[in-house]
Amino acid sequence: MRIPLIYLVFIFAITAWSCENNDNNNCDGIDCFTPPSPFYFELVDKTSGENLFTTGVLNADDIKVINLDDQSNVDFDFIDENDANIIRIHTIGWETQIANYSIESSTEHLFTLYVDAEVINENCCAYTRYNEIGIDGLDFEQNEHSGVYQILVE
């Protein structure tokens, strides 16, 4: 009979301690961070809907992402797995920032991406909120399910 009583006291102590540590004003020992969502772009022919990398009109090696504020190169990935042929920009939103990027093929400007990102800290957790996203220079559609921006090139 003493053993179950000891277990009950132990469980009660742990429960009380964990509630005390989850107080919203005390975030010590709580690591909670949701990384920002990357941006995915598929460049397609406006008329046929075909991916311009798949058809060979564009070459992945010629793609550049340029920060228009300081003319520096921006890191990005080109995803060609399973013939996806999608550009992924994963550097936006890790800190509060305004991103103003030019996406180019060789020396040809394709479109401009503008993002106003803000890191929010609430309830001991941090996440990125995108206040504004703008794509200028070409028409686009966003796939609601995948989140991929389909950029329509003429």
Side-chain angles (χ1 to χ4, degrees), residues 61-80:
D61 294 332
D62 294 335
I63 296 297
K64 291 187 242 176
V65 179
I66 306 294
N67 183 333
L68 293 174
D69 295 332
D70 62 10
Q71 299 304 307
S72 64
N73 289 325
V74 175
D75 288 336
F76 71 95
D77 297 319
F78 186 79
I79 302 170
D80 59 358

Side-chain angles (χ1 to χ4, degrees), residues 21-71:
N21 280 344
N22 283 335
D23 181 9
N24 287 337
N25 297 326
N26 181 5
C27 297
D28 292 342
I30 298 174
D31 289 330
C32 178
F33 174 71
T34 302
S37 299
F39 289 85
Y40 295 94
F41 301 98
E42 180 183 20
L43 301 173
V44 299
D45 181 272
K46 188 173 187 173
T47 307
S48 69
E50 293 181 286
N51 184 300
L52 296 177
F53 295 103
T54 304
T55 61
V57 172
L58 293 175
N59 185 334
D61 294 332
D62 294 335
I63 296 297
K64 291 187 242 176
V65 179
I66 306 294
N67 183 333
L68 293 174
D69 295 332
D70 62 10
Q71 299 304 307

Side-chain angles (χ1 to χ4, degrees), residues 7-25:
Y7 285 126
L8 284 174
V9 169
F10 180 71
I11 290 172
F12 176 75
I14 288 178
T15 304
W17 178 75
S18 67
C19 289
E20 183 178 306
N21 280 344
N22 283 335
D23 181 9
N24 287 337
N25 297 326

Side-chain angles (χ1 to χ4, degrees), residues 69-112:
D69 295 332
D70 62 10
Q71 299 304 307
S72 64
N73 289 325
V74 175
D75 288 336
F76 71 95
D77 297 319
F78 186 79
I79 302 170
D80 59 358
E81 187 174 309
N82 297 324
D83 277 336
N85 297 322
I86 294 174
I87 298 167
R88 179 179 70 168
I89 301 175
H90 51 82
T91 56
I92 300 171
W94 286 94
E95 55 189 48
T96 298
Q97 68 179 7
I98 301 290
N100 200 13
Y101 296 164
S102 174
I103 290 70
E104 304 175 358
S105 174
S106 296
T107 58
E108 177 186 357
H109 171 77
L110 297 170
F111 65 95
T112 302

